[in-house]
Amino acid sequence: MTDTPDTPRSTGRPAHQNVTFDSNGTPAHGYLALPPSGSGPGVIVIQEWWGLTDHIADVTDRLAAEGFVALAPDLYGGNVAHDSGEAFRMMQELPVERGVELLSGAVDHLLALPEVTSDSVGAVGFCMGGGFVLYLAAKDARVSAAVPFYGVIQGDVPDFSRLKAQILGHYGERDEAIPVATLDGLRRTIEEQSGIEADLRVYPADHAFFNDGRPEVYDAESSAKAWSATLDFLHTTVR
């Protein structure tokens, strides 16, 4: 799997878009995967800055295989970046407020599905999406579990005073985009504002260590540990 543009299907939609939902009065799209049983707790999967790629669809499928109804909203409306420069531009063109609005619409859609058995949802995100996990959880009390993988916070740190979610974060000790030294401050801010103690874990790895479509940074051992912890966390907190 690689971070390359998706190939349009006969429907005219980009690959991986298979659902449409309302987001504050405007249509939004995403990729929905159901568990083998047909029903289960709901989880939102939030893309990296590349877009809704094969990797994000694969993560969504993997969560479904573990018993979750998983939805990956397409924050770029079908566009996927070709390179890091384009990815940075596309990320910058998505205001945080609009991204959170789209994600809240995805939460609405997920909780309204008859296949979803939980009253809350989990949120798992990567890079840009990891930052959006924290923004969404800080705003939306329906998120009971927040799992940022090397989450990049754009601009101001969220106001966590309304946070209800438990937080399990995964970070790489060699990640230059998110220096490990900054995590203590983030952890302290979350706890002081919300009373919730965030579990922010550090692995001997680089940024994007979970992305198996990028062999130059992928770390199989760290990924396996983070994934196992994430599944245990979601099964415990999303009900």
Side-chain angles (χ1 to χ4, degrees), residues 2-21:
T2 57
D3 289 309
T4 56
D6 296 319
T7 303
R9 299 181 179 180
S10 59
T11 60
R13 293 182 184 173
H16 305 315
Q17 284 189 0
N18 64 3
V19 292
T20 300
F21 56 91

Side-chain angles (χ1 to χ4, degrees), residues 48-60:
E48 295 175 295
W49 69 347
W50 305 105
L52 182 48
T53 60
D54 289 349
H55 170 60
I56 297 302
D58 178 63
V59 172
T60 307

Side-chain angles (χ1 to χ4, degrees), residues 42-46 63 103 107 120-126 129-151 158 160 163-171 186 190 194 196-201 226 229-239:
V43 175
I44 298 290
V45 183
I46 311 179
L63 284 166
L103 293 168
V107 174
S120 65
V121 302
V124 180
F126 306 84
F132 270 119
V133 163
L134 295 177
Y135 283 112
L136 177 65
K139 180 179 180 180
D140 198 325
R142 298 173 299 173
V143 178
S144 58
V147 187
F149 277 75
Y150 32 87
F160 293 106
L163 179 73
K164 300 298 183 184
Q166 298 299 309
I167 297 177
L168 172 63
H170 305 295
Y171 299 86
L186 176 61
I190 293 170
S194 69
I196 294 172
E197 184 175 350
D199 184 358
L200 307 183
R201 303 184 183 185
T230 295
L231 293 177
D232 289 344
F233 180 68
L234 291 174
H235 280 300
T236 301
T237 53
V238 184
R239 300 179 181 279

Side-chain angles (χ1 to χ4, degrees), residues 93-142:
E93 291 177 351
L94 176 65
V96 170
E97 295 78 9
R98 176 54 182 158
V100 173
E101 185 178 76
L102 284 167
L103 293 168
S104 291
V107 174
D108 290 339
H109 179 71
L110 195 57
L111 288 176
L113 293 175
E115 294 86 355
V116 172
T117 59
S118 56
D119 295 324
S120 65
V121 302
V124 180
F126 306 84
C127 183
M128 177 190 80
F132 270 119
V133 163
L134 295 177
Y135 283 112
L136 177 65
K139 180 179 180 180
D140 198 325
R142 298 173 299 173

